[in-house]
Amino acid sequence: MNIFRLAGDMSHLVAILILLLKIWRSRSCAGISGKSQVLFALVFTTRYLDLFTSFISAYNTVMKVVFLALSYATVYLIYMRFRNSYDSENDTFRVEFLLVPVIGLSFLENYSFTPMEILWTFSIFLESVAIMPQLFMITKTGEAESITNHYLFFLGLYRALYIVNWVWRYHTEGFFDQIAVVSGVVQTIFYCDFFYLYVTRVLRGRGKMSLP
Amino acid sequence: GMRVDDHDEL
């Protein structure tokens, strides 16, 4: 554990909480892609199966359980509790275009050809593209509420901090997780355009922003 | 190298 990794995990947690509290307080999930949230729940489910097989640390176990619970709570709020506000007409990204290549790749490129490792790899690859339905939705509707932008900012910050963490771990421990690093870098690139718009528009007080 | 049974990151 290093400070970058911890800060990355905390950014991730803050992002998830921002989204959950936004939906809860406004009693609405307008502008939120339910598809992205289902994909993130799937990411956590397939990655954290090792909760049953290996103990790493109390921190690790607690965070996994918290991420799982929060992601399922978010999906519940969108599709059950506040489903009347769910904007399904604009949440039209074809998820199978992500799932098919990701499933295929996780069978081809993994650390060992076992169900647990293939599912772990699947979760890493899926996480790198899971935000695409949300970004697609923003592009389609032309704008996002500032709170949605804060959510995306902390999600992107989490990814950026994880890269710093990997550089740190490579130099201090010789640790290098090729699958996580390559897909992590790809994932972070998706946020670059968004980061630029966030800094130039949202932080300069316009509140809302639209993607070109 | 890394052990495949030890994914310690979240």
Side-chain angles (χ1 to χ4, degrees), chain A residues 47-48 111 117 166 169, chain B residues 2 4 6-10:
Chain A
R47 188 175 307 167
Y48 297 160
Y111 290 127
E117 277 304 307
W166 290 325
R169 291 191 72 175
Chain B
M2 65 169 294
V4 293
D6 191 19
H7 299 300
D8 67 329
E9 294 183 341
L10 297 166

Side-chain angles (χ1 to χ4, degrees), chain A residues 13-29 32 37 66-78 82 147 151:
Chain A
L13 187 61
V14 165
I16 293 169
L17 285 173
I18 284 176
L19 188 71
L20 195 63
L21 288 174
K22 165 206 152 63
I23 297 172
W24 182 254
R25 285 191 181 160
S26 66
R27 300 301 213 221
S28 163
C29 58
I32 303 301
Q37 296 310 312
V66 167
F67 281 160
L68 276 167
L70 293 178
S71 69
Y72 278 94
T74 305
V75 169
Y76 165 77
L77 291 186
I78 295 172
F82 304 125
I147 194 86
Y151 163 70

